[in-house]
Amino acid sequence: MIVDSYEINEEDIFTWVKSNGARKVLIQAPDGLKKIALAVSELLEERDVRAFISASHAWGGCDVAYDEARSIGVDAIIHIGHHGPVWFKPPGKPRVLFLPAFSTLNPTRLVAQAAREAKDAGASSLAIVTTIQHAKWLPALKEAVASEGLEPITGSLSGVEGLIVGCNYASIRQADDVVVVAGGLFHALGAAIWSERPTWSADPYQEKVSRVELRNVVARRLYAISKAIDARSFLIVVSSKPGQNRVSLATRVKRTLEERGRRVLIAVFNEVTRELLENIQGFEAFVNTACPRLALDDEGVFPGPVLNPGELKYVLSGSVEGYSPRDALVFDLRLLDGP
Ligand code: SF4
């Protein structure tokens, strides 16, 4: 079935629903794919399966609506638009079908253009990564890069060749440059931060190729870190979303900062919003243990400087010496051992 420019596999849905004996299903989709959720709900209702739509955001494979599902007593969740669970192991119940929506827009011409531009800039190899929406095009993209005279390089994430998500770029292998096939600059920016290589965005929706510029984001991160170095009080943000919940990391951060004489409180959120943060007054800086992209892309949500866990080492050392933008995407507890 094609909805807008996305293809989903109806048979996968029917087979999964039948084999799991699901009679009541909650359907979840990111805001841009809600139309697919409606189409799937109609398909299921035609087959006498009761379908409910989650009206909430579905930010990523980290954000599965278990609480909503349990509150209405459904047997199963169909989570549209993401490849699988991110940063958590799904509990046995309710069962979840992760249903990718594959874009029918062919990005080959754009990737060939990015390869030519990378070659003109001196590259001889190009790492190719995509969001799950465009992953089916990967064989054609590798051919396009090779025909431009560059070596195509790919890795994989969760068994999917070339796959990236907004907080995990482990599939980017060593190459001169990187090309990212995705809508907008969100994933391309993350890839540039993580890979520390020249990165090209190939956006199939805008039909546009552009080189990612990190200067602004680095300036904003350095400003936030230097303000946080002087802060005496910190609010640590913990998310209740299954793949964003890092309460043990938050507890460790709290202890570490308290040992350095800071006043610290942990607050739990489902959606992190400015309004909710402003209800908790009296903190000079924030540590975000939820989605790391909040601090990178939406720092305006926080009423003061916000750090991701990997950036805390600069607060602990009192200096930004040796700064790497990549630290914004690191959750490793060992970073807190600090100087
Ligand atoms: S980038 Fe954020 S929303 Fe996306 S999968 Fe990672 S934690 Fe979830």
Side-chain angles (χ1 to χ4, degrees):
M1 175 170 73
I2 307 263
V3 181
D4 290 340
S5 57
Y6 291 99
E7 186 184 351
I8 56 165
N9 190 328
E10 293 158 73
E11 281 315 311
D12 281 356
I13 302 171
F14 298 140
T15 308
W16 185 84
V17 164
K18 195 170 169 201
S19 65
N20 283 282
R23 306 303 312 152
K24 274 171 83 179
V25 176
L26 178 68
I27 303 163
Q28 220 195 335
D31 295 350
L33 301 180
K34 286 280 195 271
K35 216 167 163 181
I36 301 178
L38 298 182
V40 170
S41 75
E42 280 166 20
L43 285 177
L44 291 176
E45 295 259 334
E46 280 165 15
R47 299 206 170 201
D48 292 330
V49 176
R50 287 174 65 196
F52 299 79
I53 297 283
S54 166
S56 306
H57 304 295
W59 298 114
C62 59
D63 188 9
V64 178
Y66 289 108
D67 289 344
E68 287 178 5
R70 290 184 186 119
S71 75
I72 55 170
V74 299
D75 317 310
I77 300 172
I78 296 179
H79 182 104
I80 295 168
H82 301 119
H83 73 284
V86 172
W87 303 119
F88 78 101
K89 194 165 173 286
K93 286 191 177 168
R95 303 288 299 272
V96 183
L97 170 66
F98 288 91
L99 186 73
F102 294 110
S103 170
T104 56
L105 304 175
N106 185 345
T108 310
R109 181 183 61 79
L110 298 169
V111 168
Q113 185 188 331
R116 281 193 297 279
E117 293 188 25
K119 193 176 175 186
D120 289 347
S124 59
S125 59
L126 189 61
I128 311 168
V129 288
T130 82
T131 54
I132 191 67
Q133 281 78 11
H134 312 284
K136 279 196 166 174
W137 293 101
L138 204 73
L141 302 182
K142 288 201 284 189
E143 268 178 39
V145 168
S147 359
E148 295 298 333
L150 276 81
E151 183 189 358
I153 310 273
T154 57
S156 60
L157 178 67
S158 304
V160 182
E161 188 179 13
L163 179 68
I164 48 168
V165 297
C167 53
N168 193 335
Y169 297 89
S171 65
I172 301 179
R173 298 288 186 265
Q174 193 61 44
D176 291 333
D177 285 14
V178 179
V179 61
V180 179
V181 181
L185 285 175
F186 177 86
H187 291 91
L189 185 71
I193 288 171
W194 182 259
S195 68
E196 300 176 322
R197 303 301 312 159
T199 299
W200 307 83
S201 155
D203 180 340
Y205 308 98
Q206 302 286 327
E207 297 193 359
K208 192 173 160 197
V209 172
S210 54
R211 183 161 170 180
V212 180
E213 179 52 71
L214 281 187
R215 211 173 9 223
N216 285 346
V217 75
V218 168
R220 293 202 312 270
R221 295 316 305 141
L222 283 170
Y223 179 75
I225 293 167
S226 38
K227 297 290 277 181
I229 286 174
D230 297 327
R232 305 307 305 161
S233 56
F234 287 80
L235 186 75
I236 303 178
V237 169
V238 167
S239 169
S240 60
K241 295 186 186 300
Q244 294 187 24
N245 184 333
R246 298 186 178 88
V247 70
S248 28
L249 173 62
T251 307
R252 174 81 193 276
V253 169
K254 182 174 192 292
R255 200 169 61 234
T256 304
L257 285 169
E258 283 172 344
E259 282 165 8
R260 309 285 173 123
R262 296 342 194 260
R263 185 171 69 84
V264 188
L265 182 72
I266 296 176
V268 184
F269 300 76
N270 184 264
E271 292 290 332
V272 182
T273 67
R274 175 126 191 158
E275 188 190 1
L276 293 175
L277 283 161
E278 281 178 343
N279 284 339
I280 306 171
Q281 304 252 322
F283 293 89
E284 292 170 53
F286 299 83
V287 180
N288 166 46
T289 67
C291 170
R293 300 305 297 259
L294 283 172
L296 276 172
D297 307 79
D298 283 321
E299 74 261 53
V301 161
F302 296 86
V306 56
L307 302 183
N308 279 340
E311 296 169 323
L312 261 181
K313 62 182 181 184
Y314 304 112
V315 170
L316 302 182
S317 68
S319 157
V320 292
E321 207 182 315
Y323 170 74
S324 164
R326 191 175 187 166
D327 292 326
L329 292 172
V330 172
F331 308 107
D332 195 328
L333 282 166
R334 284 168 299 181
L335 286 168
L336 298 178
D337 291 339

